[in-house]
Amino acid sequence: MRPDIDLRSYLDTRGATILLTLSVLALLAFAALGGLIQPAVMPQGTADVEFTVIVLGLPLSLIIPVFAVMMTAGEWSDRSIQNTFLQRPGRLGVLVSKVIAATAVVAVLVALAIGLAAAATWIGGELMGEGAVFSSFESLLTTQLPILAATLLFSLAMGILLQSTVISLVIAIGLPFVISTAGVLTMTFGSELISDIVRAVDLSAAADALGAGTAGAFELLPLALLVLLPAALGVRRWSQREVG
C-alpha cells in the first residue's frame, strides 16, 4: 500500500488544485457567514461554535463526496486505472491505498473547517458581539463529526461500487438529500410504515444516534445497507472487473 503515491498523483493535477482552492474558499465564506454574522442575528448577540460548524456542514456535504469519489473512482472513469494496476500489482492494495488517501484529504479539510469555525466564532463573538460560546464543542464532536464521517463512508462505498465519477457523485450527493426530504415528509404526514422505511436508509440520522449513544439495533441497518453491503460488492467488483 502506498497512499502517498495516490495523494501525489491526485493532488499534483491542475483539477485538484482548482478543486482544493474552491473548497477552501467555500469553507472560508461559510465560516464567515456562520461566525461573523451570527451575533447580529442572534437575540443574545453571541456566537456559538456549534452553529458555525453546522453552517460549515453545508459545503462539507458537497466537498467530502467530491474528493472521496474522485480519488476512488476517478481512474476508472478516465481509464488510467490500467496503468496503475500495471505499475502496482495487487488490486486490493491499490484500493486500500486510495481509501486511505481520500480519508486523509477529507480529515485535513474537516480539521480546517473546525479551525475556521472556532476562529470565526471567536472573532464574531468576542470582537463583534457579546461573547463566543465554546461550551457546545464537546457535543459537536458527538453530533456533527459522526454525520460527516457517515458522508465520507457512504461516498467511498459509492465510489468503490460504481467506479464511475459521475454516477457515484450523483448518488453520493443526491440520495442523502432525497432521504432527508422524505424524512421531513413522513413526519408531516405521519405515516409510520413509510417512516420506518426511511429510517432504515437514513444514514445521517443513524450516525447522529450513534454519536449521541442512543442508537439501537435498527440504527445499524442504514450502515449495513448503505455502507457495508455496497463496499463489499464494490471490493469484489474491483478485484474482478476487466480493465480496458
Side-chain angles (χ1 to χ4, degrees), residues 145-171:
L145 286 187
I147 293 176
L148 295 177
T151 302
L152 171 62
L153 291 175
F154 178 61
S155 302
L156 289 172
M158 291 301 100
I160 296 170
L161 173 64
L162 300 174
Q163 298 167 14
S164 167
T165 302
V166 175
I167 299 176
S168 299
L169 281 176
V170 170
I171 300 298

Side-chain angles (χ1 to χ4, degrees), residues 66-137:
V66 168
F67 279 98
V69 168
M70 292 291 289
M71 296 185 71
T72 52
E75 290 191 51
W76 286 101
S77 293
D78 62 21
R79 300 188 182 278
S80 62
I81 193 68
Q82 184 173 9
N83 294 330
T84 300
F85 288 155
L86 290 174
Q87 296 170 6
R88 299 161 62 186
R91 291 191 173 196
L92 293 183
V94 173
L95 172 59
V96 173
S97 179
K98 289 183 178 297
V99 169
I100 293 174
T103 302
V105 172
V106 169
V108 170
L109 289 172
V110 171
L112 174 63
I114 293 175
L116 291 173
T121 300
W122 184 84
I123 294 172
E126 297 294 339
L127 303 183
M128 303 171 60
E130 301 299 324
V133 179
F134 289 95
S135 58
S136 59
F137 192 81

